Amino acid sequence: MSELLCIEGLTVRHGATVALDAFSLAVRRDELFVLLGASGSGKTTLLRAIAGFALPASGRIVLNGQDIAALPPHRRPVNTVFQSYALFPHMTVAANIAFGLRGMDRAAVSARVREMLALVRLESLADRRPHQLSGGQQQRVALARGLAPRPALLLLDEPLSALDRALRTETRDELVRLRRHLGTSFILVTHDQQEALTMADRIGVMRDGSMAQVGTPAEVYEGPNSRFVAEFLGSANILPGALRADGSVDLPGLGTVATNGGIARPVLLALRPERLRLGDTGGVNRLTGVLAASVYAGETLIHTVRLADGSDIRVTQSLHDGLSGALPTPDAAVTVSWSPDACILLPP
Ligand SMILES: Nc1ncnc2c1ncn2[C@@H]1O[C@H](COP(=O)(O)OP(=O)(O)OP(=O)(O)O)[C@@H](O)[C@H]1O
Ligand SMILES: [Mg+2]
């Protein structure tokens, strides 16, 4: 059995709000599962239900083959690292890490604390108190405290959101390294799609208390199953059209483009901005328009092209060679081209 956690039909209500609606999810052993979703979609509620802090109205939560839904939080082999690290201010770093190890003998506790300090590379700070640490160091203490009892599953609710960008990237890599090293499964909540794409073994995109899609980062990014997922993860140009049996899509007012699709039906055509090229670069599909704006974004130029029907599409151009010369002139007539592979067909 490769599944560590199996959630079936989980419903959690907060008064009249249905925070989780007959929710199902399977998390594998030894994976970093990232939960993405808009504010209020139920991510924290899900973690709280798994940890035992939110009471489900119905459903099963099976961990390691055992239904844990009736167990109190401290009897579940699950730990949580909350967004506000919640370190005990009056305790040293070492005492914070030892907090969840009651019941172990003293020698074993101090060995485990040393091991955890080494793991998060804070050996030299064992005797400090939280207010004497930087935000990133506090975050690592919270992580060490969560991992110290060796839970089967660690839940992390936006653990990196308080960190600046450089520290975020560093801590993100650290988390991935730690998890691989320990072989523990993590469920991590984030709002940051870059974080989700780079860290996750699999991503689950939540919407209004349900799971919209689950898959590897590439599966979900390149094969979104709905307009919601296509627009939530990354950005997408959405053009309504009709798919014909030969795989071409009629875009009313714009023309016809080739895709790899097959069954005739109305569709939404989704195009990732980075799969589009400005200029007639030999892509099979072409639309003409007028350049409405170009914005410099460091790694890319982001162009907005106004199409014949008045709609705008976004094209990102990678600046491999830097920005040579000036930004393109607005109002120039341009061609946008792309290959059929880049066409994502979605239900309307
Ligand atoms: N204690 C509570 N009492 C009443 N309603 C609640 C409570 N906690 C959460 N809710 C509601 O349940 C829904 C899900 O909330 P939840 O905190 O799980 O969202 P979230 O996905 O974690 O959002 P965020 O990204 O903003 O943290 C929201 O509509 C929220 O207002
Ligand atoms: Mg939350």
Side-chain angles (χ1 to χ4, degrees):
M1 189 184 68
S2 70
E3 257 135 39
L4 174 72
L5 175 74
C6 247
I7 294 176
E8 286 163 19
L10 190 70
T11 296
V12 177
R13 294 194 191 94
H14 299 297
T17 309
V18 181
L20 292 176
D21 189 6
F23 186 90
S24 296
L25 169 69
V27 174
R28 298 175 187 155
R29 253 169 242 291
D30 201 15
E31 86 170 332
L32 201 166
F33 191 96
V34 172
L35 280 174
L36 259 183
S39 188
S41 58
K43 305 178 299 293
T44 296
T45 302
L46 177 62
L47 297 194
R48 290 176 55 80
I50 296 169
F53 299 115
L55 195 66
S58 60
R60 280 164 33 100
I61 304 175
V62 177
L63 187 75
N64 265 329
Q66 187 197 3
D67 193 336
I68 60 167
L71 294 179
H74 66 277
R75 305 251 335 265
R76 302 187 184 199
V78 171
N79 268 353
T80 312
V81 177
F82 295 102
Q83 177 175 353
S84 54
Y85 325 128
L87 298 177
F88 301 112
H90 56 289
M91 290 187 191
T92 63
V93 165
N96 264 283
I97 296 174
F99 182 77
L101 302 176
R102 283 157 303 178
M104 277 169 67
D105 72 55
R106 280 178 64 176
V109 168
S110 83
R112 181 71 61 84
V113 168
R114 258 181 283 123
E115 181 195 338
M116 290 298 133
L117 284 167
L119 203 62
V120 297
R121 298 174 178 156
L122 289 178
E123 294 98 322
S124 59
L125 304 183
D127 298 323
R128 294 228 190 139
R129 288 176 205 274
H131 74 271
Q132 298 167 313
L133 301 175
S134 74
Q137 290 164 342
Q138 290 180 40
Q139 182 58 61
R140 275 140 71 198
V141 176
L143 191 63
R145 188 177 64 178
L147 286 168
R150 303 215 166 117
L153 179 62
L154 188 68
L155 309 175
L156 301 125
D157 199 352
E158 309 213 33
L160 308 180
S161 57
L163 308 181
D164 69 41
R165 194 174 146 141
L167 198 53
R168 235 176 136 107
T169 312
E170 189 186 312
T171 314
R172 176 168 96 190
D173 297 346
E174 189 86 355
L175 264 179
V176 170
R177 177 187 72 83
L178 274 177
R179 201 210 57 74
R180 294 227 171 97
H181 175 73
L182 295 168
T184 308
S185 294
F186 286 6
I187 301 179
L188 183 144
V189 168
T190 180
H191 272 108
D192 182 326
Q193 43 172 295
Q194 212 52 41
E195 208 163 282
L197 290 169
T198 53
M199 291 179 85
D201 293 308
R202 289 190 305 149
I203 292 177
V205 183
M206 286 182 66
R207 179 186 196 184
D208 297 340
S210 302
M211 196 62 101
Q213 189 170 2
V214 174
T216 64
E219 281 166 0
V220 180
Y221 187 81
E222 289 175 27
N225 64 4
S226 62
R227 175 177 191 155
F228 173 79
V229 173
E231 292 184 316
F232 193 81
L233 193 61
S235 70
N237 298 296
I238 304 285
L239 306 169
L243 180 63
R244 297 199 199 121
D246 66 0
S248 61
V249 172
D250 271 331
L251 301 173
L254 295 174
T256 301
V257 301
T259 77
N260 297 331
I263 307 163
R265 62 201 150 97
V267 291
L268 294 175
L269 173 65
L271 296 166
R272 296 289 190 196
E274 72 276 12
R275 303 288 304 267
L276 304 177
R277 294 275 152 71
L278 214 52
D280 199 346
T281 56
V284 170
N285 293 313
R286 291 179 189 81
L287 291 177
T288 53
V290 172
L291 195 60
S294 297
V295 175
Y296 178 72
E299 295 167 3
T300 54
L301 276 181
I302 304 168
H303 304 288
T304 304
V305 175
R306 183 140 311 150
L307 300 176
D309 66 352
S311 63
D312 288 341
I313 65 171
R314 180 191 282 221
V315 178
T316 49
Q317 175 188 343
S318 181
L319 293 174
H320 317 279
D321 303 316
L323 181 66
S324 48
L327 288 173
T329 346
D331 295 329
V334 289
T335 301
V336 178
S337 60
W338 70 95
S339 86
D341 289 347
C343 294
I344 301 169
L345 300 176
L346 302 172

